[in-house]
């Protein structure tokens, strides 16, 4: 499932009429990177949690007969292949969240669609370049430990208050057994530097737990709070995903991701690198 009902206020006015998840990294929207990661991990059924005004995300993965016909008639076969690739990735359904009541609420409302089976949660803001795909790494750990797994990354303590954070006992090879979880602690109260990233593999018992979680002081139902309650019933695990993560939910993270993926493109690497070197050689005062 892909929670994608946020308003994208950090990117206004660009996101006034366009979903934040549709902002492009080079020539693909952010959400497509996440869907391609899931498909590469063997997932073929996707549920997106959306909101009013965000139908463009669903439309992006639908068949566009008019566009395909136009490209075919004009002989634009490379573009035609790219468009058809997008619409053939996976079976995609959607449910609207309504009031923005937090990640825990977004997960909870997919209960009828997910059913009684383990499922992955992918937050598209975290674009992770990894081989094997990040969510595949979590699925492999899930298969080994037979319990819910969350992705974690070590972050500087001056940034720790932006994340859910785990206290955990290392089991080796990047796997940890969680002993506690805290949502956005202050630097002084953080139980570790292991921050939860936007990838989870969960079991269906989380739904009943989330149904009983109360809203926090911000009026949201936090998934971290639900996991903390679930920890009373069963073991939970964390895994340090191997890969390069970009937080495209921030302006700086989005710009870094854009440069990162552009520099991986053969036709862009040399001219873009030359341009960036030119900028770095100019008077910094010009950009103040």
């Amino acid at each position: 499932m892909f929670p994608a009902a946020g308003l994208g206020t950090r990117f206004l006015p660009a996101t006034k009429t366009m979903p934040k998840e549709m902002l492009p990294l080079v020539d693909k929207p952010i959400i497509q990177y996440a869907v391609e990661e899931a498909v590469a991990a063997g997932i073929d059924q996707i549920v997106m949690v959306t909101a009013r005004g965000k139908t463009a995300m669903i439309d992006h993965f639908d068949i566009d007969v008019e566009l395909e016909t136009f490209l075919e008639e004009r002989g634009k076969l490379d573009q035609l292949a790219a468009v058809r690739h997008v619409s053939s990735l996976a079976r995609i359904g959607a449910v609207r969240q309504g009031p923005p009541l937090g990640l825990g609420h977004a997960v909870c409302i997919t209960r009828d669609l997910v059913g009684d089976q383990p499922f992955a949660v992918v937050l598209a803001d975290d674009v992770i370049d990894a081989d094997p795909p990040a969510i595949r790494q979590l699925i492999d750990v899930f298969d080994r430990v037979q319990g819910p797994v969350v992705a974690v990354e070590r972050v500087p303590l001056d940034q720790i208050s932006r994340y859910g954070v785990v206290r955990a006992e290392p089991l080796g090879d990047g796997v940890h057994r969680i002993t506690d979880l805290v949502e956005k602690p202050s630097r002084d109260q953080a139980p570790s530097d292991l921050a939860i990233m936007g990838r989870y593999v969960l079991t269906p018992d989380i739904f009943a737990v989330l149904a009983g979680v109360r809203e926090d002081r911000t009026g949201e139902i936090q998934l971290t709070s639900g996991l903390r309650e679930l920890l009373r019933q069963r073991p939970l695990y964390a895994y340090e995903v191997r890969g390069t993560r970009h937080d495209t939910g921030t302006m700086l993270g989005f710009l870094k991701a854009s440069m990162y993926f552009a520099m991986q493109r053969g036709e862009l690497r040399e001219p873009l690198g030359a341009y960036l070197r030119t900028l770095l050689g100019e008077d910094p005062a010009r950009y103040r």
Side-chain angles (χ1 to χ4, degrees):
M1 65 152 295
F2 287 71
L7 297 176
T9 54
R10 291 177 179 172
F11 288 87
L12 288 170
T15 51
K16 181 181 178 182
T17 59
M18 179 174 66
K20 173 189 61 177
E21 295 82 3
M22 290 300 294
L23 293 175
L25 297 179
V26 190
D27 57 357
K28 295 192 298 188
I30 292 170
I31 189 73
Q32 186 174 333
Y33 286 84
V35 170
E36 288 179 340
E37 175 192 324
V39 171
I43 295 170
D44 62 3
Q45 297 183 59
I46 289 171
V47 177
M48 290 189 184
V49 180
T50 68
R52 183 180 179 277
K54 305 193 77 169
T55 56
M57 287 188 302
I58 306 302
D59 292 343
H60 177 70
F61 295 98
D62 202 356
I63 295 172
D64 189 329
V65 176
E66 184 178 0
L67 176 59
E68 291 183 16
T69 301
F70 171 82
L71 294 173
E72 190 168 20
E73 290 177 347
R74 297 299 174 92
K76 299 179 180 292
L77 301 184
D78 289 344
Q79 293 94 325
L80 177 62
V83 168
R84 286 179 170 169
H85 164 73
V86 173
S87 60
S88 64
L89 281 170
R91 287 178 288 171
I92 296 178
V95 58
R96 284 193 176 184
Q97 184 174 13
L101 297 179
L103 178 56
H105 178 257
V107 171
C108 198
I109 64 174
T110 67
R111 182 174 190 169
D112 291 342
L113 294 173
V114 170
D116 189 22
Q117 60 187 328
F119 63 103
V121 178
V122 177
L123 305 189
D125 278 358
D126 281 329
V127 179
I128 305 176
D129 184 24
D131 185 19
I135 199 64
R136 179 74 252 176
Q137 295 180 41
L138 260 67
I139 292 170
D140 290 342
V141 174
F142 176 89
D143 288 341
R144 285 159 46 195
V145 300
Q146 291 297 299
V149 185
V150 304
V152 293
E153 181 178 276
R154 296 190 183 276
V155 303
L157 288 177
D158 61 358
Q159 300 176 23
I160 204 72
S161 61
R162 294 166 45 195
Y163 300 94
V165 183
V166 303
R167 176 184 288 117
E169 302 169 346
L171 300 178
D173 197 26
V175 181
H176 304 259
R177 179 164 177 165
I178 296 173
T179 58
D180 198 8
L181 306 93
V182 182
E183 179 67 17
K184 296 181 179 180
S186 66
R187 175 174 181 162
D188 294 337
Q189 295 179 333
S192 75
D193 63 349
L194 288 173
I196 301 173
M197 299 298 111
R199 302 291 186 276
Y200 308 75
V201 176
L202 304 177
T203 46
D205 47 0
I206 188 63
F207 292 122
V209 172
L210 285 171
V213 172
R214 294 183 178 180
E215 298 175 1
D216 65 7
R217 64 181 182 278
T218 68
E220 296 186 345
I221 296 171
Q222 300 296 343
L223 179 57
T224 301
S225 300
L227 291 172
R228 194 178 195 191
E229 288 299 316
L230 186 61
L231 184 60
R232 303 173 186 272
Q233 305 174 20
R234 64 179 305 159
L236 305 182
Y237 300 87
Y239 179 68
E240 295 182 64
V241 168
R242 294 175 171 86
T244 302
R245 180 186 72 94
H246 294 282
D247 181 3
T248 64
T250 68
M251 190 70 71
L252 180 59
F254 174 77
L255 293 173
K256 285 182 176 181
S258 297
M259 294 300 101
Y260 176 89
F261 287 105
M263 292 296 285
Q264 291 187 350
R265 299 281 288 268
E267 74 277 17
L268 297 177
R269 185 183 303 111
E270 185 175 340
L272 179 58
Y275 176 66
L276 293 174
R277 287 191 293 272
T278 299
L279 290 182
L280 292 173
E282 294 184 3
D283 181 5
R286 176 180 175 182
Y287 303 101
R288 290 177 183 170

